[in-house]
Amino acid sequence: MALMSVYDTFWSEWFWLPENVTWKHLENKEDGIYYPQTRDLYIPFVLAFVVFAIRKCFESFIAKPIGLYFGIKDGKPKVVQPNSALENSYKVKKFPSEETIKALEKQTDLSERQIQRWFRMRRNQERPSQMKRFTEASWRFFFYFNIFVYGVAVLWDKPWFADSIQCWIGYPKHHLSSGVFWYYMIEISFYWSLMFSQFMDVKRKDFWEMFAHHCATIALLTFSWCGNFVRVGTLVLCIHDAVDYWLEAAKMAKYIKAQRLCDVLFAIFGVVWFITRLVLYPTKVMWSTYFECKQIVGVFPSIYFFNGVLVVLLILHAYWFSLIVTVAYTVLSKQGEEVTDIRSSDEEEVSEEDSSRNGSGDRKQTNHVNNSVSK
């Protein structure tokens, strides 16, 4: 009884639906009209593992050979000699202070330069190889580009694609075509796959921001499916997909050392990001959910929650655009500076001189083009 009470409360028609609409109105019948059903959301869970398997095959059999063709090395970083004192210190702080180094000199009988080199090599062991970065970027480029093309093809003849007010005319009795159905299912499954693969992918400084972004996106898509805000949801997806593959293409160019092409692609990415996520997204999507919905359907509790998630995404868009501007400013203000990744560091160099002298220079970190400032 208690579980039934919670279930009834969660699926309250007062919360989810406009006035004078019940769940019975959205039950599917044998008339060719299909409305989204909550049971459909089991499909993306299964598809997520399929997407992940396809990704691994793509990275191994397509992206990796391409990377090798362009001369990207697939080697592993040098492994440090085991040293319990240094390892225990490393677990506390990866970049030791001068005081820590002096204390370690007494414990290990190693010189300052040898200790610095050990720490630098130890840090490199945890960093992904250039090939892993390239294959990851290649997979995301492949997915984002193809899903964007598919989304445009599916939505091209839909009335709400050009006129957002059509998202609410006749709501919530909106038929779901097979094209839109699978567009949603594939997108949700992709973000579910990112949720668990993020812990295995290249780690970046905005790891938790990206995790929050994936959670917000899945919440948005799932919630919009349950409330049949699918028309608005498809607009959100298409706007997001329009920009992501430009970034991944720029990263791929960076990894194959085509710096000029990388700079051009990154510039296009920044412009498209601003137009789609900071202009079209708030003026087309959020304007529709805040004002056109009220005008056509009225307001009801679930639309407030839906709008709240949209606001979270907008805040993340603004935050990531600030990172893009930071990179662009660095490139323009420093002659000869390359487009860099302000979210993830590349492997630190250990020179031949260091190897022969068991020493090291100052800490050096070079960065790559931002990897997945995206959905």
Side-chain angles (χ1 to χ4, degrees), residues 38 42 45 92 101 121 141 175 190 194 196 232 254 273 281 291 300 302 317 332 337 341 347 355 360 369:
T38 55
Y42 289 106
F45 283 111
V92 175
I101 292 177
M121 292 180 65
F141 170 81
H175 167 63
F190 177 72
L194 288 182
F196 60 80
V232 176
K254 175 70 177 181
W273 179 285
Y281 177 73
F291 300 103
F300 46 102
S302 63
H317 293 167
L332 294 174
E337 188 79 16
D341 185 353
E347 183 174 306
S355 298
S360 67
V369 173

Side-chain angles (χ1 to χ4, degrees), residues 321-332:
F321 188 70
S322 70
L323 301 185
I324 297 171
V325 172
T326 300
V327 173
Y329 175 79
T330 301
V331 173
L332 294 174

Side-chain angles (χ1 to χ4, degrees), residues 23-214:
W23 290 118
K24 289 186 178 181
H25 291 126
L26 299 179
E27 292 179 354
N28 290 320
K29 302 176 182 178
E30 299 297 331
D31 56 1
I33 303 298
Y34 190 85
Y35 302 125
Q37 304 295 310
T38 55
R39 62 177 177 270
D40 298 330
L41 295 174
Y42 289 106
I43 296 175
F45 283 111
V46 178
L47 277 182
F49 292 98
V50 175
V51 169
F52 186 73
I54 293 173
R55 169 189 170 173
K56 287 303 180 182
C57 291
F58 179 89
E59 291 180 348
S60 298
F61 301 112
I62 298 178
K64 186 175 180 179
I66 293 174
L68 292 173
Y69 175 81
F70 283 101
I72 298 177
K73 296 180 180 180
D74 192 27
K76 297 181 179 179
K78 296 179 181 179
V79 179
V80 298
Q81 292 185 354
N83 188 306
S84 58
L86 297 180
E87 185 66 31
N88 291 333
S89 179
Y90 178 83
K91 292 178 180 179
V92 175
K93 193 173 184 180
K94 295 182 178 181
F95 293 92
S97 63
E98 292 183 9
E99 292 77 10
T100 302
I101 292 177
K102 289 180 179 179
L104 290 171
E105 286 183 66
K106 298 178 180 179
Q107 294 181 45
T108 61
D109 291 329
L110 296 175
S111 69
E112 177 182 349
R113 295 174 68 85
Q114 288 174 317
I115 293 172
Q116 287 177 335
R117 181 176 184 274
W118 189 96
F119 271 86
R120 188 157 60 232
M121 292 180 65
R122 182 65 179 83
R123 290 192 293 269
N124 282 343
Q125 285 183 208
E126 296 183 351
R127 291 192 172 96
S129 67
Q130 196 82 330
M131 180 62 76
K132 179 172 176 58
R133 296 173 187 269
F134 177 79
T135 56
E136 181 183 309
S138 298
W139 160 250
R140 296 197 183 199
F141 170 81
F142 174 80
F143 179 86
Y144 289 141
F145 179 78
N146 283 282
I147 199 65
F148 173 67
V149 172
Y150 176 74
V152 171
V154 167
L155 298 176
W156 189 258
D157 61 345
K158 302 298 186 290
W160 68 89
F161 190 57
D163 185 8
S164 60
I165 201 170
Q166 295 294 328
C167 292
W168 307 108
I169 294 177
Y171 177 83
K173 298 180 181 180
H174 289 161
H175 167 63
L176 198 65
S177 67
S178 60
V180 173
F181 177 92
W182 286 111
Y183 183 38
Y184 240 70
M185 292 295 102
I186 294 171
E187 289 276 17
I188 297 175
S189 66
F190 177 72
Y191 282 103
W192 273 120
S193 73
L194 288 182
M195 283 285 286
F196 60 80
S197 69
Q198 184 178 359
F199 294 90
M200 297 178 283
D201 291 339
V202 178
K203 296 295 187 296
R204 293 177 177 83
K205 296 177 183 177
D206 64 347
F207 177 89
W208 291 112
E209 289 87 343
M210 282 303 299
F211 188 78
H213 177 274
H214 298 335

Side-chain angles (χ1 to χ4, degrees), residues 294-337:
K294 183 178 180 180
Q295 175 186 349
I296 303 299
V297 181
V299 293
F300 46 102
S302 63
I303 196 66
Y304 289 115
F305 178 86
F306 188 66
N307 284 333
V309 180
L310 293 178
V311 170
V312 171
L313 287 180
L314 181 61
I315 293 172
L316 290 170
H317 293 167
Y319 166 72
W320 279 313
F321 188 70
S322 70
L323 301 185
I324 297 171
V325 172
T326 300
V327 173
Y329 175 79
T330 301
V331 173
L332 294 174
S333 62
K334 296 182 180 180
Q335 187 175 1
E337 188 79 16

